[in-house]
Amino acid sequence: MKHLPGYLNIGPETYYAPRSNRDNEDYQPLLAVWLIDLSLSLGWLDSPPRAGLEGVFGSNEFIDITGLHDLEALFDRRTQDEDLDALFSDDAPAEPTRSTLPASLYMRYLGRRTQVQPSPRELRLTQPLLRKVIRAILKKGRADWLERGVNPALPLFRNIERLEQLVMLNDVEKGIIAFAAAMAEFPAFCEALSPSRISFSDIGLFRALAIVTGHDADAIQTALRRDGTLRCSGLIEIDHDEEPLPRKISLVRELRGVILNPMANDEELSQRVLHAAPLGTLSLEDFPHLKNDTTLMMRYLKGAMERGSQGLNILLYGPPGTGKTEYAKALVRALGWRLYEIAHADSDGDPLNPRMRLQSLSFSQRALRKQSDAALLFDEVEDIFPGTGSQAFAQMLGLPRRDSINTLNAKAWVNRALEDNHVPTIWITNDAQIDPAYLRRFDYSVEMGIPPHSVRRQIVQKLVGDQVADPAALDALADLNDLLPAQLERAVKVVSLADLPEETERWAGVVQTLERSRALLGQNRRPIVAANVLPYRLDYLNADIDLQTVADGLRRTGRGSLCMYGPPGTGKSAYGQWLARTLNRPLLVKRVSDLMSKWVGGNERNIARAFAEAEQEGAVLLLDEVDSFLQERRTARVQWETTLVNEMLTQMESYRGIFIASTNLMDNLDAASLRRFDLKIRFAYLKPDQSVELLHDYTRWLHLDEPESADEHAVRKLKNLTPGDFAAVCRQHQLRRIDTAKDLVQALEKESELKQDGRQAPTIGFLA
């Protein structure tokens, strides 16, 4: 053939690829005997299945497995007369009659003898003849295969002996494993069974396994009990519906493709069938906010292993990317144990169904039961823990949906997985909306939310520090209180692979990648900007109470309400941010635009939702411009203004966390609200010494020459300066150069003059 690629070796004659038995050649004597025994003992010869005698015994798969090519000749329409003579010579009667052979085949044979057409009587009498011939061929072939035998040192049998040590098997159970492995590993063997189209009940299965193992059917039934080793270990799964034999009994997924492999020792088999979890990149030091949970869980796990307890389950839940898997790995590594995981996909990446995963869990639990330094990790548990019991649940586990009994069986299966496990299991889910029937079976649970600021800063330093060294840039990332560690990892991956030479380019790449990710996930799309201001210090604030003492008190009690008031730019909101970082708590900031609604009752609902959200997250709730919600009720012009104040007061009274309110208009607050604040803190303009100190700090920050005494004197005269004014002037430096300390002082004087004229300058950086 012309015009074909050279690698296509197509010749002038049709090429018939031979069927290969290389995969099962060593095991063929056993497979052949099994297949022959099943066909004879289950009556496939005397009462042919729907496929008929030719469909069963004349199939390519049956002949390939048994190697009985006389069967091929028997059913081959091309068989010559002399071949028929040889085939029938020993077993046929003097006057053979027609069987289920094709009519043309028999007539050629009979016509050569008599030259006459067969009579109706002769046609009816041929069925016993064909069965007699097939039976003779099968028995002779079985004897030949038994004489040849099979090597007991083959990998299948060696590995079954290793399984005996791993999960404690008796001879009956080992025989069942051998047959299940054959159906799992030899597709041709399954195909040879399939044309029978016979569905097996449980009793039929017991009988079939008794035939192939040589053990009593009662012993088979005992071995396959739900509480037996094979079922408890998950090695074997039985379908209780009537199914063909290859679907009636199945081997655990971990052994498929492995059980025929040569193994050097018992340890190698364990390594092949148990999936060691990859090492994590974080340690427990990266989760300081979970210190109390970590301490208790480590003591619990050690005690449970020492006392041989069972039903050991820990649930980690929270949004994706919050480090649940990394924390589980760090916890087990800190114990000095080995962590194994239950896979959720096969080697090709295709997802495993829940039934297969639970079967794998049972097997792993059994295989590791003697190890005192092992734990299991089961990720994405929402696959097997739906919110409510339903027929859908039974379908997820691969059970038919005919009746509610299957649902009950499915739930019982999962409950046993939670109650009978001796190996500690850490379960991970993104959504804890799970049926309470399962939730109450977990010994301990930890909600993994967005880490607090100090932890985020530590993670940012670890992940991004090699690419971006600017502390202000790293602070800007840590300030994103909804940023997931996984997002940072991917941003760093992009920048690292992009191989950007300059730090400014790498920082821009990190920001660009994160902004795309945040848009994709629907997160707050606030700009990620490295602040061009000095790091926050309490020394820059002029408050009428010691602010560090306030922080210490809140850390000790865990609750409190503060009202911070004073001119804009004096650092009120910035103190709330600093406080949340210091206390290692999330910060939830709400402003008027976040809470006001055009719908009747919407304001009240939004306020209640803000307090509930903060309490659920253990966050510091910062309400800016609180005078909009707590204005004096006596001056209210409409009813909704009064109900708004009432709702705020109700929420403040019942709130058990830390609540901070800031306002520039203290005189407008309702008198009743003031009584509900534990502390009222006044933030005033900077003292002269503080202004001079900030002047020196900012000249160094902007790399200017040190200010002269005249500059210091000029700043001291400005009585209404705030930290926000210095931050605003610092930003002006990006638009118009400030070259000297004198230029800086002049810019501050302009800010001061604007206030005296009754106008306010923007106060970004230090928030009011």
Side-chain angles (χ1 to χ4, degrees):
M1 185 179 295
K2 297 181 179 180
H3 310 301
L4 278 179
Y7 51 80
L8 294 178
N9 189 22
I10 299 177
E13 300 292 334
T14 300
Y15 175 69
Y16 294 93
R19 295 191 299 269
S20 173
N21 293 328
R22 286 179 296 176
D23 291 342
N24 58 29
E25 183 176 354
D26 291 336
Y27 299 93
Q28 190 171 4
L30 177 61
L31 300 178
V33 170
W34 274 344
L35 191 54
I36 292 170
D37 284 350
L38 286 171
S39 65
L40 292 173
S41 300
L42 297 180
W44 297 351
L45 186 60
D46 298 322
S47 300
R50 283 177 292 174
L53 290 176
E54 183 175 359
V56 176
F57 299 101
S59 69
N60 292 334
E61 292 77 16
F62 192 97
I63 294 171
D64 283 345
I65 293 297
T66 61
L68 301 178
H69 295 286
D70 284 348
L71 294 173
E72 188 173 25
L74 185 64
F75 293 105
D76 192 342
R77 289 177 171 82
R78 297 172 298 177
T79 303
Q80 300 299 316
D81 290 345
E82 55 271 21
D83 297 326
L84 289 171
D85 281 339
L87 188 61
F88 285 95
S89 59
D90 295 331
D91 298 295
E95 290 294 333
T97 54
R98 188 188 184 283
S99 68
T100 53
L101 294 171
S104 59
L105 178 66
Y106 177 77
M107 290 176 65
R108 280 191 291 116
Y109 171 76
L110 190 64
R112 184 176 59 81
R113 294 275 184 96
T114 64
Q115 302 297 319
V116 297
Q117 294 292 332
S119 67
R121 178 177 179 276
E122 289 174 322
L123 290 174
R124 288 196 301 271
L125 294 176
T126 55
Q127 185 79 8
L129 172 63
L130 182 61
R131 290 200 299 267
K132 183 177 180 181
V133 173
I134 294 174
R135 190 185 306 276
I137 294 173
L138 293 178
K139 287 185 175 181
K140 185 177 184 304
R142 184 182 191 279
D144 291 341
W145 283 120
L146 280 177
E147 179 66 23
R148 174 176 169 178
V150 67
N151 183 3
L154 286 172
L156 171 62
F157 310 122
R158 295 289 299 274
N159 289 333
I160 290 177
E161 295 297 330
R162 292 187 172 105
L163 281 176
E164 177 186 9
Q165 302 301 317
L166 198 61
V167 296
M168 300 298 292
L169 301 172
N170 60 33
D171 287 348
V172 179
E173 293 161 344
K174 288 190 288 186
I176 295 173
I177 289 288
F179 183 69
M183 288 195 295
E185 298 297 328
F186 301 120
F189 182 60
C190 288
E191 289 295 324
L193 295 171
S194 295
S196 67
R197 297 185 181 179
I198 296 176
S199 294
F200 286 77
S201 64
D202 287 354
I203 298 299
L205 173 65
F206 301 152
R207 183 186 174 199
L209 292 176
I211 293 169
V212 298
T213 64
H215 293 287
D216 184 80
D218 290 338
I220 297 293
Q221 184 173 359
T222 299
L224 292 179
R225 285 176 50 178
R226 186 178 297 277
D227 57 354
T229 300
L230 289 179
R231 303 285 297 283
C232 285
S233 66
L235 278 171
I236 292 296
E237 181 54 35
I238 303 298
D239 193 322
H240 292 288
D241 295 304
E242 292 195 3
E243 295 283 358
L245 197 55
R247 294 205 297 267
K248 184 69 177 175
I249 180 171
S250 60
L251 185 70
V252 67
R253 183 191 63 85
E254 276 74 8
L255 290 177
R256 299 173 197 172
V258 171
I259 199 167
L260 296 185
N261 294 346
M263 305 285 179
N265 49 47
D266 295 351
E267 182 67 22
E268 184 177 350
L269 177 64
S270 297
Q271 293 174 355
R272 295 283 188 93
V273 300
L274 299 172
H275 302 279
L279 293 177
T281 58
L282 302 178
S283 66
L284 290 180
E285 286 71 24
D286 295 306
F287 301 92
H289 56 300
L290 300 178
K291 182 179 179 181
N292 292 338
D293 293 303
T294 299
T295 301
L296 181 56
M297 281 192 290
M298 291 187 69
R299 292 179 65 91
Y300 149 76
L301 290 171
K302 289 178 181 178
M305 296 301 282
E306 290 172 358
R307 301 176 188 179
S309 299
Q310 65 182 43
L312 309 173
N313 300 286
I314 293 173
L315 178 66
L316 305 181
Y317 65 99
T322 50
K324 298 182 294 294
T325 302
E326 284 289 335
Y327 178 69
K329 293 178 179 179
L331 182 67
V332 174
R333 187 166 71 246
L335 289 167
W337 295 358
R338 289 178 291 180
L339 182 65
Y340 300 89
E341 62 182 354
I342 304 302
H344 52 78
D346 60 20
S347 57
D348 294 328
D350 296 325
L352 301 177
N353 64 47
R355 183 171 183 168
M356 295 175 68
R357 297 192 73 196
L358 281 175
Q359 190 180 0
S360 297
L361 174 66
S362 298
F363 172 68
S364 300
Q365 283 281 349
R366 186 80 178 191
L368 294 169
R369 75 194 187 286
K370 291 184 178 180
Q371 298 189 25
S372 60
D373 61 346
L376 284 168
L377 179 66
F378 200 118
D379 204 349
E380 300 183 15
V381 303
E382 53 268 23
D383 291 346
I384 65 167
F385 291 144
T388 57
S390 62
Q391 286 296 331
F393 186 21
Q395 284 184 277
M396 287 172 59
L397 293 179
L399 301 175
R401 53 185 301 180
R402 288 193 296 270
D403 52 51
S404 61
I405 295 178
N406 286 320
T407 299
L408 296 176
N409 288 338
K411 295 189 72 169
W413 188 359
V414 176
N415 288 340
R416 283 195 302 274
L418 289 169
E419 293 173 350
D420 300 339
N421 57 318
H422 289 270
V423 181
T425 305
I426 301 176
W427 308 75
I428 295 178
T429 181
N430 298 331
D431 184 4
Q433 298 301 313
I434 296 171
D435 192 325
Y438 306 126
L439 290 179
R440 64 171 176 261
R441 286 175 165 84
F442 290 102
D443 294 338
Y444 199 83
S445 61
V446 180
E447 182 178 10
M448 304 272 299
I450 303 296
H453 185 275
S454 62
V455 178
R456 297 201 303 271
R457 184 59 173 82
Q458 185 175 327
I459 294 174
V460 166
Q461 182 65 51
K462 175 175 287 189
L463 296 178
V464 187
D466 291 340
Q467 299 292 335
V468 178
D470 182 7
L474 302 182
D475 287 339
L477 295 178
D479 284 340
L480 298 171
N481 56 14
D482 57 353
L483 183 65
L484 302 171
Q487 291 176 283
L488 275 178
E489 289 184 16
R490 282 159 178 75
V492 172
K493 176 183 177 182
V494 170
V495 171
S496 177
L497 293 177
D499 197 22
L500 302 173
E502 300 294 332
E503 179 173 332
T504 54
E505 294 178 294
R506 295 194 293 271
W507 167 244
V510 168
V511 170
Q512 182 175 328
T513 305
L514 288 177
E515 286 178 343
R516 301 299 184 272
S517 173
R518 293 173 67 80
L520 178 66
L521 297 179
Q523 294 171 319
N524 186 352
R525 300 181 69 175
R526 55 178 285 192
I528 305 173
V529 180
N532 192 20
V533 295
L534 287 173
Y536 189 83
R537 283 172 46 187
L538 296 183
D539 295 344
Y540 297 152
L541 306 180
N542 182 15
D544 61 355
I545 191 172
D546 186 274
L547 297 177
Q548 183 63 58
T549 301
V550 173
D552 295 339
L554 291 174
R555 181 184 291 108
R556 184 174 59 256
T557 62
R559 61 181 301 176
S561 57
L562 311 178
C563 179
M564 303 183 298
Y565 65 98
T570 50
K572 301 182 295 297
S573 297
Y575 177 68
Q577 296 171 357
W578 174 88
L579 193 60
R581 296 181 187 179
T582 301
L583 299 178
N584 271 334
R585 289 180 178 237
L587 177 67
L588 183 62
V589 179
K590 295 294 182 180
R591 297 178 176 84
V592 176
S593 59
D594 300 321
L595 301 178
M596 297 300 283
S597 170
K598 64 181 180 180
W599 306 109
V600 176
N603 298 335
E604 292 81 354
R605 285 192 294 271
N606 289 341
I607 290 172
R609 189 179 297 118
F611 277 92
E613 181 182 352
E615 186 160 354
Q616 182 179 7
E617 296 180 3
V620 173
L621 176 59
L622 173 59
L623 187 57
D624 205 3
E625 303 173 9
V626 73
D627 46 276
S628 300
F629 305 98
L630 291 176
Q631 59 183 319
E632 178 60 61
R633 282 173 288 185
R634 290 174 299 181
T635 62
R637 291 169 295 177
V638 290
Q639 179 62 32
W640 67 263
E641 293 179 343
T642 301
T643 59
L644 184 64
V645 174
N646 292 338
E647 180 64 29
M648 274 293 302
L649 296 179
T650 300
Q651 293 297 332
M652 289 173 61
E653 282 186 329
S654 61
Y655 186 57
R656 294 176 295 178
I658 298 175
F659 172 57
I660 302 175
S662 68
T663 179
N664 302 330
L665 304 171
M666 184 67 165
D667 295 339
N668 291 354
L669 295 188
D670 186 87
S673 69
L674 295 178
R675 296 195 301 270
R676 287 170 169 81
F677 286 105
D678 299 328
L679 284 176
K680 276 75 72 176
I681 306 174
R682 182 176 185 274
F683 285 71
Y685 294 119
L686 292 170
K687 299 175 182 178
D689 289 343
Q690 288 178 311
S691 298
V692 172
E693 183 179 1
L694 269 174
L695 176 64
H696 282 272
D697 287 344
Y698 268 100
T699 53
R700 287 190 292 268
W701 178 264
L702 298 175
H703 305 290
L704 308 177
D705 292 336
E706 284 292 318
E708 299 177 357
S709 58
D711 300 322
E712 295 179 358
H713 180 71
V715 167
R716 286 182 182 275
K717 292 195 304 181
L718 302 177
K719 304 300 183 182
N720 59 353
L721 286 183
T722 68
D725 295 329
F726 282 88
V729 170
C730 188
R731 288 192 306 278
Q732 294 174 18
H733 176 64
Q734 299 175 338
L735 303 177
R736 61 178 185 87
R737 293 288 300 175
I738 295 178
D739 297 319
T740 64
K742 185 176 182 179
D743 295 338
L744 179 59
V745 172
Q746 290 176 346
L748 291 171
E749 289 174 339
K750 289 184 179 180
E751 294 294 324
S752 176
E753 291 173 3
L754 288 173
K755 296 179 186 180
Q756 293 170 359
D757 289 341
R759 290 172 289 175
Q760 303 294 330
T763 54
I764 303 174
F766 273 83
L767 300 176

